[in-house]
């Protein structure tokens, strides 16, 4: 607790954590403390629960489970299962957006296809006919391809993979035998391989890990990100205000939270109508504030500059302001603790996705296969949200003042245009004004002081002229810390500073929600191609300082498969031995030397296959040093100064 309160970079988070503690309102911090000490087997991925003979806990004395499964197989089975759980989550996200495109194309939903440019671009890449066809017809066919990529059961390569992945990588994956069929198939195959009496060869699970990660990348991440751009358009740079201080005492405050931006687009549209604005005034409010959390928040921030408040571990804090009238949630990363805080402050919770139900919440679901009532339902949500203003308990309000400026909306196109094309950005990399690009992403974890690692690492990276792209919960930390504002250029090293100042851009580019890691990946792919160099040779790094969700596993492995090394802050389910003991783990828990799986990921095994490995460094200053070292090494090998 002391560490969290001392090191958390956002004064608003610190303030609210202290306030809620004093008020006796329970948060993740209290529950994290109550969980100590944590089970060392679980922490290291050494607990096997894949049948009813166990659970078996493996260690140096008991190196096999009851069925005979060995330590490495257990570790790998846990790891690949968590990867496909994340794949399932992004898969459902993609599924919802793709089906919405179909509904829009068929005229069933009152949704325009705002991203005409993206529809045509994807169609051309897929080699579909566009001449003489309406945009709706083309969009419908693209959606069919995306849907097929999500659920194909036969060995036809994922079409989006063939369309977007670099040749050199496709050949590598083909040689390794890790080309996937589809998201759904690889989930099935992973569960199949790891059930009782399945594979006992852990190396075959490392192959499945890569295969599932490629399905994760090209069927679910690309599926969600491209489909959302087709529906709602490609974001462009814009200035926005973020942080807890955007909430206003005398306004209706509505928070939107989750991952799928479909229904919330409609809700936003309704909130902006004169009818709802008038309703707010009648209820005694001066206006309506909409604030975003997690990835749905990122989507609206990138497209419309709707302010964001916070990330997964800030959701309880945001409701703890007592100033939120309604929180509208769709899918994923909506923690049950959020509803506990909502109940303490009388905040109304509205759920909009049948996959994410919360007891006691009002449920107004969006179903893309029955989208007819979308307008009516969105209006209902908007009305309820505004009406809740009258019932707010004003004695309990505690809104931190902090607001932060940011420049957001960094889609792939926006980045490329800003640098005068890929050539322009590559030139800056070559001449060393920008030393490299690190994509710093991912969740929060209570295992490190909240947001401290994200912010500390990124500050050091920009100081060293490393351009940063960011998504998801990490980006909320960086946005609130002011690092996504053009003014943050003053904190960058001389090269990056000049680059940012001359273009009026920040040194940290918030590219969107987690599925939009594809935007950075596309940038990496295309820059490598422009340079005529294989991806593993480029000065790029993937950084996950505070991994938390099962969804983050696939992000890391996606970049590994593309030859981009990972620097992660905490081993999560990968039992990579840490260089030294970490707070929260007993000193001997991670320094027990090597095991074959850790050697594979952190040593030469994976490196020989894909040209990248995992570095684990929980101390942020040292993590930044590791990243600098990796980039320096790549540059030297390329002969770039
Ligand atoms: Ni990403 Fe978005 Fe956050 Fe982690 Fe959850 S919000 S998809 S999973 S917790 S970064």
């Amino acid at each position: 607790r002391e560490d969290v309160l001392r090191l958390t970079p956002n004064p608003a988070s610190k303030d609210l954590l202290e306030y809620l503690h004093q008020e006796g309102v329970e948060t993740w911090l209290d529950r994290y403390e109550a969980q100590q000490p944590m089970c060392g087997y679980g922490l290291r991925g050494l607990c096997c629960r894949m049948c009813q003979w166990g659970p078996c806990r493996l260690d140096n004395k008991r190196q096999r489970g009851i069925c005979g499964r060995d330590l490495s197989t257990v570790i790998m089975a846990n790891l690949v299962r968590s990867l496909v759980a994340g794949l399932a989550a992004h898969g459902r996200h993609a599924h919802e957006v793709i089906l919405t495109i179909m509904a829009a194309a068929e005229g069933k939903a009152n949704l325009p296809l705002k991203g005409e440019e993206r529809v045509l671009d994807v169609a051309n890449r897929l080699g579909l006919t566009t001449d003489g066809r309406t945009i709706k017809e083309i969009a419908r066919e693209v959606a069919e391809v995306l849907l097929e990529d999500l659920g194909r059961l036969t060995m036809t390569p994922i079409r989006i993979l063939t369309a977007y992945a670099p040749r050199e990588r496709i050949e590598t994956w083909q040689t390794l035998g890790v080309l996937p069929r589809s998201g759904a198939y690889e989930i099935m195959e992973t569960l199949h391989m790891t059930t009782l009496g399945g594979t006992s060869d852990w190396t075959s699970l490392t192959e499945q890990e890569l295969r599932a990660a490629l399905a994760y990348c090209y069927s679910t991440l690309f599926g969600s990100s491209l489909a959302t751009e087709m529906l709602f358009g490609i974001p462009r740079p814009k200035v926005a205000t973020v942080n807890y201080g955007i909430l206003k005492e005398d306004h209706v405050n509505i928070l939107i939270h989750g991952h799928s931006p479909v229904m919330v687009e409609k809700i936003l549209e309704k909130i902006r109508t004169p009818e709802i604005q008038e309703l707010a005034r009648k209820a005694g409010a001066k206006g309506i504030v909409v604030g975003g959390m997690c990835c749905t928040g990122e989507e609206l921030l990138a497209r419309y500059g709707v302010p964001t408040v916070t990330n997964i571990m800030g959701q309880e804090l945001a409701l703890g302001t007592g100033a939120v009238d309604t929180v509208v949630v769709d899918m994923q990363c909506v923690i049950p603790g959020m509803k506990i805080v909502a109940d303490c402050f009388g905040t109304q919770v509205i759920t909009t996705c049948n996959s994410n139900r919360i007891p006691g919440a009002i449920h107004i679901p969006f179903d893309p296969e029955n989208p007819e009532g979308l307008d009516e339902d969105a209006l209902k949500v908007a009305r309820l949200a505004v009406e809740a203003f009258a019932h707010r308990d004003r004695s309990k309000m505690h809104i931190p003042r902090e607001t932060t400026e940011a420049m957001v909306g960094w889609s792939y196109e926006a980045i490329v245009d800003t640098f005068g094309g890929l050539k322009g950005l590559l030139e800056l990399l070559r001449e060393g004004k920008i030393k490299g690009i690190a994509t710093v992403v991912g969740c929060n974890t209570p295992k490190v002081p909240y947001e401290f690692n994200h912010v500390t690492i990124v500050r050091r990276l920009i100081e060293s002229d490393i351009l940063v792209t960011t998504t998801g919960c990490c980006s909320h930390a960086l946005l609130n810390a002011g690092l996504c504002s053009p003014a943050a250029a003053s904190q960058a090293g001389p090269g990056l500073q000049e680059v940012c100042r001359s273009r009026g851009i920040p040194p940290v580019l918030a590219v969107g929600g987690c599925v939009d890691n594809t935007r950075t990946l596309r940038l990496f792919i295309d820059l490598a191609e422009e340079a005529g160099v294989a991806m593993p040779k480029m000065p790029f790094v993937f950084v996950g300082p505070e991994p938390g969700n099962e969804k983050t596993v696939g992000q890391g492995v996606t970049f590994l498969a593309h030859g981009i090394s990972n620097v992660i802050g905490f081993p999560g389910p990968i039992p990579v031995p840490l260089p030294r003991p970490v707070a929260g783990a007993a000193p001997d828990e991670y320094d027990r030397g090597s095991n074959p799986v850790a050697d594979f990921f952190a040593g030469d095994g994976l490196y020989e296959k894909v040209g990248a490995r995992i570095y684990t460094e929980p101390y942020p200053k040292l993590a930044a040093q590791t990243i600098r070292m990796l980039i320096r090494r790549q540059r030297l090998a390329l002969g770039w100064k």
Side-chain angles (χ1 to χ4, degrees), residues 90 257-259 294-296 311-312 332-333 441-444 471-474 476 513-515 548-552 555:
H90 286 312
H257 179 17
H259 286 78
C294 287
C295 290
T296 300
N311 45 26
I312 187 161
Q332 300 163 32
C333 301
V441 301
C443 322
N444 310 122
T471 61
C473 289
C474 174
H476 287 284
C514 286
V515 296
N549 196 303
E550 287 172 307
K551 284 184 280 180
T552 65
Q555 301 283 8

Side-chain angles (χ1 to χ4, degrees), residues 144-185:
E144 272 165 17
V145 173
L146 296 178
L147 196 63
E148 209 188 297
D149 277 352
L150 207 53
R152 181 186 303 104
L153 300 178
T154 52
M155 192 53 235
T156 311
I158 290 181
R159 285 176 68 185
I160 287 288
L161 183 151
T162 315
Y164 283 87
R167 279 294 113 215
E168 176 270 332
R169 285 287 106 180
I170 296 181
E171 279 159 22
T172 304
W173 301 329
Q174 211 150 20
T175 314
L176 295 172
V178 297
L179 281 173
R181 286 174 169 82
S182 68
Y185 181 85

Side-chain angles (χ1 to χ4, degrees), residues 252-256 271 288-292 324-328 382 385-386:
V252 178
N253 292 309
I254 305 171
L255 290 186
I256 50 111
I271 287 172
I288 305 175
V289 169
V290 180
V324 180
D325 300 298
T326 300
V327 54
V328 183
V386 168

Side-chain angles (χ1 to χ4, degrees), residues 592-631:
R592 53 185 61 241
S594 64
N595 64 64
V597 178
D599 287 350
F600 175 79
F601 283 104
D604 291 337
L606 182 68
Y607 189 81
E608 277 161 14
K609 290 180 192 286
V610 296
R613 56 166 70 91
I614 296 179
Y615 299 82
T616 305
E617 181 46 74
Y619 292 95
K621 288 180 188 168
L622 296 177
Q625 211 163 315
T626 307
I627 298 157
R628 279 197 299 252
M629 182 266 299
L630 287 170
I631 284 177

Side-chain angles (χ1 to χ4, degrees), residues 303-443:
R303 281 200 179 78
Y304 310 111
V306 169
T308 48
V309 181
T310 185
N311 45 26
I312 187 161
M313 272 169 49
Q315 59 189 291
E316 291 165 300
L317 309 185
L319 297 207
T321 59
V324 180
D325 300 298
T326 300
V327 54
V328 183
V329 308
D330 53 82
M331 54 171 73
Q332 300 163 32
C333 301
V334 180
I335 63 169
M338 185 273 291
K339 181 66 165 65
I340 300 172
V341 181
D343 288 345
C344 291
F345 291 93
T347 304
Q348 170 174 265
V349 179
I350 301 179
T351 49
T352 62
C353 172
N354 284 330
S355 308
N356 256 65
R357 300 296 302 266
I358 300 175
I362 301 170
H363 188 54
I364 304 176
F366 167 63
D367 172 6
E369 283 172 293
N370 293 293
E372 289 79 10
L374 177 59
D375 276 274
E376 218 173 286
D377 288 343
L379 188 61
K380 210 190 291 172
V381 173
R383 271 202 200 113
L384 282 169
V386 168
E387 283 162 6
F389 178 79
H391 314 300
R392 190 194 301 170
D393 177 354
R394 283 169 173 69
S395 67
K396 286 188 184 168
M397 282 193 286
H398 184 96
I399 309 177
R401 297 263 161 267
E402 281 75 15
T403 57
T404 318
E405 297 304 311
M407 187 185 253
V408 297
W410 295 104
S411 57
Y412 168 87
E413 280 78 0
I415 299 176
V416 172
D417 292 351
T418 296
F419 289 101
L422 289 163
K423 258 196 186 61
L425 182 50
L426 185 63
E427 201 37 49
L428 292 169
L429 277 164
R430 271 210 187 107
E431 64 189 19
K433 290 215 167 113
I434 298 175
K435 295 270 187 260
I437 308 177
T439 185
V440 190
V441 301
C443 322

Side-chain angles (χ1 to χ4, degrees), residues 77-236:
N78 278 319
L79 182 58
V80 68
R81 277 191 170 214
S82 65
L83 189 151
V84 298
L87 163 52
H90 286 312
R92 270 291 285 112
H93 176 175
H95 185 251
E96 175 160 307
V97 189
I98 296 166
L99 290 188
T100 307
I101 294 179
M102 291 184 159
E106 287 163 12
K108 281 194 212 149
N110 177 22
L111 282 166
L113 289 160
K114 291 194 218 160
E116 207 166 297
E117 189 189 343
R118 180 60 80 227
V119 174
L120 292 172
D121 165 50
V122 185
N124 286 331
R125 284 216 181 217
L126 289 168
L128 308 180
T129 313
T130 53
D131 283 350
R133 300 175 77 196
T134 67
I135 204 75
K136 283 188 171 176
E137 283 166 355
I138 304 167
R140 158 109 221 170
E141 196 182 349
V142 172
E144 272 165 17
V145 173
L146 296 178
L147 196 63
E148 209 188 297
D149 277 352
L150 207 53
R152 181 186 303 104
L153 300 178
T154 52
M155 192 53 235
T156 311
I158 290 181
R159 285 176 68 185
I160 287 288
L161 183 151
T162 315
Y164 283 87
R167 279 294 113 215
E168 176 270 332
R169 285 287 106 180
I170 296 181
E171 279 159 22
T172 304
W173 301 329
Q174 211 150 20
T175 314
L176 295 172
V178 297
L179 281 173
R181 286 174 169 82
S182 68
Y185 181 85
E186 300 313 336
I187 295 170
M188 176 164 77
E189 177 59 352
T190 299
L191 296 178
H192 173 223
M193 286 175 84
T194 52
T195 194
L196 175 62
T199 189
S200 48
D201 173 4
W202 69 270
T203 63
S204 71
L205 291 176
T206 62
E207 285 160 16
Q208 183 60 14
E209 179 87 358
L210 288 172
R211 203 176 287 121
L214 291 174
Y216 171 105
C217 174
Y218 287 103
S219 74
T220 73
L221 291 191
F222 268 88
S224 308
S225 187
L226 294 177
T228 308
E229 289 179 336
M230 286 165 64
L231 261 182
F232 303 124
I234 300 172
R236 291 285 164 185

